[in-house]
Amino acid sequence: MALNAANTVEELSYAEAAVRAIAREMEADARVVVLGEDVGRGGIFGQYKGLQQRFGERRVIDTPISEAAIMGAGVGMALAGLRPVVEMRVVDFALCGMDELVNQAAKNRFMFGGQGRVPLVARMPGGIWDASAAQHSQSLEAWFAHLPGVVVVSPSTPQDNHSLLRAALQCGDPVVYIEHKTLWGARGPVDETLTVPLGKAARMRQGDALTLVSWSRQAQVCAEACERLAAEGIAVDLIDLRTLWPWDRETVFESCARTGRLLVAHEAVQAAGFGAEIAASAAEATGCRIARLGAPRIPVGYAPVLEAQSRVGVDAIVAAAKKLAG
């Protein structure tokens, strides 16, 4: 859809919104660079399409196949004054660069009394990737939320992917930026002038029956469930966290105090998932009733019937909401 001259809103895909965000920041700040495998040809999801042709090979840098080298180079660039976008392809592959992120990027500001800053954005597409099995379908956001020194972001819409990526690039600290692997083609309105601060949740629906908290693609599944619940007279307060750390305690606690019930639903494994942190914090702050939904503690299967066992679907969310609201 072409840009409407009457306003600033344009329909873009999740991937296109990200490309626009990076291009805007690269135009505004010569310190912003991109490095990673296949970024020159646009990335495996088209999330860098056209950027090397526009900004050149010195700012959009193709690298060898070594996540440790890519992350290490990104940390060095950031310490030297650049603002790198570090492409990990998928979060599963980022595990090969964990030492550089966990022991260098996350801790440098603290260990050297603020003399060094690591303003990098590590893009790590996460979540179940259809028919891609156990090594390409993991949701590891809780690992990074547990790590002091990093910001963790997980956008669910094209608008948020544009606005939050720009906010991440302007942040002075390392940001783990987790886009969902199956959202790249999702389309929606994007206003490139709209700013979204890190740490601020979005209220997707309003209701008094219960509070439902989610993020990333699972927030869209929750929205479908809320449509079904609304048809049965159950009005849900649906909150998309958008940023997992820092997370928007004020919005969540206000809603929980009002509804008296909280359901947290995420695609990641439920055991030790980030939903447990939200549930415990909300219970301590408001005394609300709690329920959680997450994947079973199993590897994601390749066969569709096995993969389905790791998904938290609309039916499960509706059933859990009814039980909690009853």
Side-chain angles (χ1 to χ4, degrees), residues 42-296:
I44 57 174
F45 301 109
Q47 72 273 41
Y48 300 100
K49 187 176 181 180
L51 291 180
Q52 190 178 76
Q53 292 76 14
R54 184 172 175 181
F55 295 100
E57 295 181 0
R58 291 178 62 85
R59 293 188 68 191
V60 182
I61 306 161
D62 283 306
T63 66
I65 303 174
S66 171
E67 286 75 15
I70 298 165
M71 186 65 74
V75 172
M77 288 176 170
L79 287 169
L82 297 178
R83 305 183 79 90
V85 178
V86 179
E87 175 58 41
M88 290 283 100
R89 290 169 66 93
V90 291
V91 71
D92 317 66
F93 299 168
L95 306 187
C96 296
M98 285 291 273
D99 178 69
E100 288 75 13
L101 177 65
V102 173
N103 285 321
Q104 306 305 327
K107 296 177 175 58
N108 191 280
R109 180 182 174 188
F110 172 78
M111 293 179 67
F112 294 95
Q115 297 178 81
R117 299 293 289 268
V118 187
L120 65 77
V121 176
R123 295 178 78 184
M124 305 180 182
I128 296 175
W129 195 1
D130 298 345
S132 296
Q135 295 178 336
H136 297 75
S137 293
Q138 296 173 88
S139 300
L140 303 178
E141 62 268 24
W143 291 20
F144 300 105
H146 186 73
L147 174 63
V150 300
V151 175
V152 184
V153 181
S154 193
S156 68
T157 67
Q159 178 67 69
D160 285 345
N161 205 23
H162 182 273
S163 298
L164 290 170
L165 186 50
R166 293 192 67 188
L169 284 163
Q170 295 167 19
C171 179
D173 291 309
V175 179
V176 173
Y177 198 86
I178 305 176
E179 294 144 296
H180 199 283
K181 296 164 189 165
T182 63
L183 287 179
W184 297 108
R187 303 190 68 81
V190 176
D191 182 349
E192 294 190 52
T193 68
L194 179 64
T195 59
V196 175
L198 299 175
K200 183 63 178 175
R203 180 170 271 112
M204 299 176 68
R205 295 180 71 99
Q206 293 189 353
D208 295 317
L210 73 150
T211 301
L212 176 55
V213 174
S214 192
W215 55 88
S216 192
R217 181 183 177 275
Q218 195 65 40
Q220 307 299 332
V221 180
C222 287
E224 292 181 44
C226 288
E227 291 287 347
R228 281 179 43 183
L229 290 164
E232 299 182 38
I234 302 174
V236 174
D237 213 38
L238 175 58
I239 297 172
D240 177 0
L241 278 190
R242 302 196 289 199
T243 303
L244 274 69
W245 201 271
W247 62 283
D248 191 348
R249 294 165 178 261
E250 182 178 353
T251 296
V252 172
F253 292 172
E254 178 278 325
S255 178
C256 292
R258 177 166 46 82
T259 67
R261 300 171 177 86
L262 169 64
L263 172 61
V264 184
H266 54 67
E267 189 171 301
V269 169
Q270 179 170 306
F274 191 65
E277 171 66 21
I278 299 167
S281 298
E284 290 171 346
T286 71
C288 64
R289 291 174 55 196
I290 299 290
R292 290 184 295 146
L293 281 177

